[in-house]
Amino acid sequence: CPLGFGHYNAVDVCILETVIIVLLTFLIIAGNLTVIFVFHCAPLLHHYTTSYFIQTMAYADLFVGVSCLVPTLSLLHYPTGVHESLTCQVFGYIISVLKSVSMACLACISVDRYLAITKPLSYNQLVTPCRLRICITLIWIYSCLIFLPSFFGWGKPGYHGDIFEWCATSWLTNAYFTGFIVCLLYAPAAFVICFTYFHIFKICRQHTKEINDRRARFPAHEVDAAGDAGHGPDRRYAMVLFRITSVFYVLWLPYIIYFLLESSRVLENPALSFLTTWLAISNSFCNCVIYSLSNSVFRLGLRRLSETICSSC
């Protein structure tokens, strides 16, 4: 079990950690499998170009859940047959790459919604299925490359290895590598998201003001027609994606802060490392929950999938 929780009640702590990780692993796999099946069964969802990125995130989060089977088996003392240091490095690298893909997809989604609202007439020419596939491929390549230096001894890729003792005691973070990751991944993604959503909601607010002004001048049916031709659907869909993005950064912010503090040798607490790490990983389940609760088309697809399963049973 992770070190640093104290020697008292060690068995209870191990049981609690095992329950948390097993439960998260099950929820992440089940939730994202549901999202993937719903997207395949609901053709209306494919009308949104962001569905490419949502599905990419779902697959990345599904692989996070599958990867979490490694520490789950480790806590259950199931022999993996692989050297602990190699297991730790590969697991840390895979988790970091997958979450980098999610972070980059969220940034690309914000850019997509920004283009949909600011350039509605030329949007279909700018954002094509071919360009979306190229963008997703580049996201995967970039995410794989940015964490590769960790295999050559230049710090941890970001995962604090509480589950594996070798990770906690022998694989140390490096301030320069952490700065490298922050400058090339965390900071650009956060800046793009803040910039695009700020302008999206600014434009939507201006549009709402214009509708209110028209409502004071013209009959109601003319205003309603103008409002229907406006940014209503785009704004609602942007709000759904904004919730997903907000929850992502709320859950990942404690992890990023601790990662920076540990790399600078300001703070080192294995208990805090465990909590922030698995709080961040829990986001892989939260994405599908938020999307299913916020998107009416997704809920309709989920209902049809449930009816199909129930009728077949």
Side-chain angles (χ1 to χ4, degrees):
C1 283
L3 305 174
F5 286 90
H7 296 291
Y8 55 91
N9 295 331
V11 175
D12 294 337
V13 171
C14 285
I15 293 174
L16 178 62
E17 292 167 5
T18 305
V19 169
I20 291 173
I21 295 176
V22 171
L23 180 62
L24 274 180
T25 301
F26 171 77
L27 290 177
I28 291 171
I29 294 176
N32 287 285
L33 278 176
T34 302
V35 171
I36 292 169
F37 284 134
V38 169
F39 265 94
H40 283 291
C41 297
L44 286 176
L45 285 170
H46 295 284
H47 293 173
Y48 297 104
T49 55
T50 49
S51 66
Y52 287 85
F53 296 111
I54 294 291
Q55 290 182 80
T56 301
M57 289 174 57
Y59 279 109
D61 290 335
L62 175 63
F63 292 143
V64 168
V66 174
S67 300
C68 288
L69 291 174
V70 176
T72 300
L73 295 175
S74 175
L75 279 176
L76 295 174
H77 301 289
Y78 185 85
T80 59
V82 183
H83 196 271
E84 184 179 358
S85 61
L86 179 61
T87 304
C88 173
Q89 286 182 309
V90 172
F91 176 70
Y93 175 78
I94 290 175
I95 289 290
S96 299
V97 168
L98 294 174
K99 298 318 297 177
S100 172
V101 169
S102 294
M103 193 174 295
C105 283
L106 289 173
C108 290
I109 285 172
S110 68
V111 173
D112 176 84
R113 292 297 89 198
Y114 176 78
L115 292 175
I117 289 180
T118 58
K119 300 182 183 297
L121 298 179
S122 58
Y123 174 76
N124 290 331
Q125 286 74 37
L126 290 173
V127 182
T128 62
C130 180
R131 289 179 179 176
L132 288 172
R133 294 188 187 97
I134 293 173
C135 182
I136 291 172
T137 302
L138 291 176
I139 286 173
W140 280 98
I141 293 173
Y142 184 78
S143 300
C144 291
L145 291 177
I146 196 173
F147 291 103
L148 269 182
S150 63
F151 276 108
F152 302 98
W154 194 28
K156 276 186 184 179
Y159 172 73
H160 301 283
D162 299 284
I163 303 303
F164 305 101
E165 186 177 357
W166 185 88
C167 285
T169 58
S170 302
W171 199 13
L172 302 178
T173 54
N174 183 291
Y176 295 106
F177 183 68
T178 302
F180 171 78
I181 296 297
V182 169
C183 292
L184 293 184
L185 179 62
Y186 297 152
F191 173 78
V192 168
I193 288 169
C194 291
F195 176 84
T196 52
Y197 278 114
F198 172 79
H199 285 84
I200 286 171
F201 292 121
K202 181 180 177 181
I203 292 170
C204 291
R205 192 162 52 246
Q206 291 174 348
H207 184 71
T208 302
K209 184 180 178 182
E210 290 174 2
I211 292 177
N212 292 333
D213 291 340
R214 291 176 186 174
R215 192 170 284 146
R217 298 179 186 177
F218 303 104
H221 67 276
E222 295 183 15
V223 176
D224 293 338
D228 292 338
H231 300 302
D234 285 329
R235 180 175 56 185
R236 288 192 295 272
Y237 195 56
M239 278 300 301
V240 173
L241 301 171
F242 180 72
R243 292 188 194 108
I244 293 176
T245 305
S246 300
V247 171
F248 180 92
Y249 276 96
V250 166
L251 294 176
W252 273 82
L253 190 59
Y255 170 83
I256 294 172
I257 292 174
Y258 180 82
F259 185 35
L260 292 170
L261 293 176
E262 186 186 85
S263 301
S264 305
R265 303 296 183 265
V266 175
L267 176 64
E268 188 171 350
N269 187 319
L272 194 58
S273 172
F274 176 85
L275 294 175
T276 55
T277 296
W278 289 96
L279 181 66
I281 291 176
S282 69
N283 176 77
S284 296
F285 170 70
C286 295
N287 285 342
C288 51
V289 173
I290 298 169
Y291 202 73
S292 61
L293 293 177
S294 304
N295 190 285
S296 58
V297 178
F298 184 90
R299 290 198 299 271
L300 178 61
L302 182 61
R303 190 181 308 124
R304 289 178 178 175
L305 178 63
S306 302
E307 291 172 353
T308 302
I309 295 175
C310 291
S311 61
S312 63
C313 291

